[in-house]
Amino acid sequence: MTRLCDLSVSAYLDYEEPPSSPGNRAAQLAGLRNDYMAELLEEHHRSGRTITVAPYVVATTGDERRAGLAQLGRFAKVQQGWPVTGSSFCDFDPEVPLEERRAFGAACRYASLGFARGILATNRAALTFDDAAYERVLTYLHKRRVFLAFLPLLDEQGATS
């Protein structure tokens, strides 16, 4: 079975699990995502490259999918000035582990090939509550110079702020 972004065991050979530290792991990962995103946005701005994003949603119906993609598109274009790629990505079952979701894996590969600078989702809850899987995805994307962005009115866990 193909896993997220072809993240097989061999892809993890150079990945070392960071040591456990006290504190709120979700908050630490939110900080890591923010740091990676800030670094990559600054890098893209310095280079003069256009920052494009690939929208990703998890929706069980076509109406939810269209609404989610429209919301992401409005945010990207109107609030950030980011063009949205011609390709969008949608998985239908939020219960499937993140690293086994075909559309999310396709979004990662698409962005890694340079068709997008970032992946835009509504919130972390749209991805996973599994901290280890989330950290692997952040690391994978960062190594490929791709950021992960969420809508600003939602925190990392999906609660409104």
Side-chain angles (χ1 to χ4, degrees), residues 29-50:
L29 291 172
L32 181 64
R33 183 191 66 82
N34 289 335
D35 290 347
Y36 284 170
M37 185 173 166
E39 172 192 333
L40 294 173
L41 287 174
E42 176 61 30
E43 180 180 297
H44 294 314
H45 283 297
R46 277 192 317 249
S47 73
R49 292 180 287 196
T50 300

Side-chain angles (χ1 to χ4, degrees), residues 57-111:
V57 297
V58 178
T60 56
T61 69
D63 288 341
E64 289 175 348
R65 177 181 186 265
R66 284 185 289 282
L69 291 173
Q71 180 185 28
L72 293 173
R74 279 190 306 275
F75 168 76
K77 292 175 191 172
V78 175
Q79 294 184 345
Q80 296 298 315
W82 296 336
V84 176
T85 61
S87 296
S88 59
F89 302 89
C90 180
D91 282 305
F92 296 96
D93 187 356
E95 299 301 317
V96 172
L98 182 62
E99 294 172 308
E100 295 176 15
R101 293 187 196 167
R102 290 179 186 252
F104 189 73
C108 291
R109 287 187 299 277
Y110 182 82

Side-chain angles (χ1 to χ4, degrees), residues 51-55 72 76 82-87 115-120 147 149:
I51 297 171
T52 56
V53 292
L72 293 173
W82 296 336
V84 176
T85 61
S87 296
F115 295 111
R117 305 290 179 208
I119 297 172
L120 177 62
F147 65 85

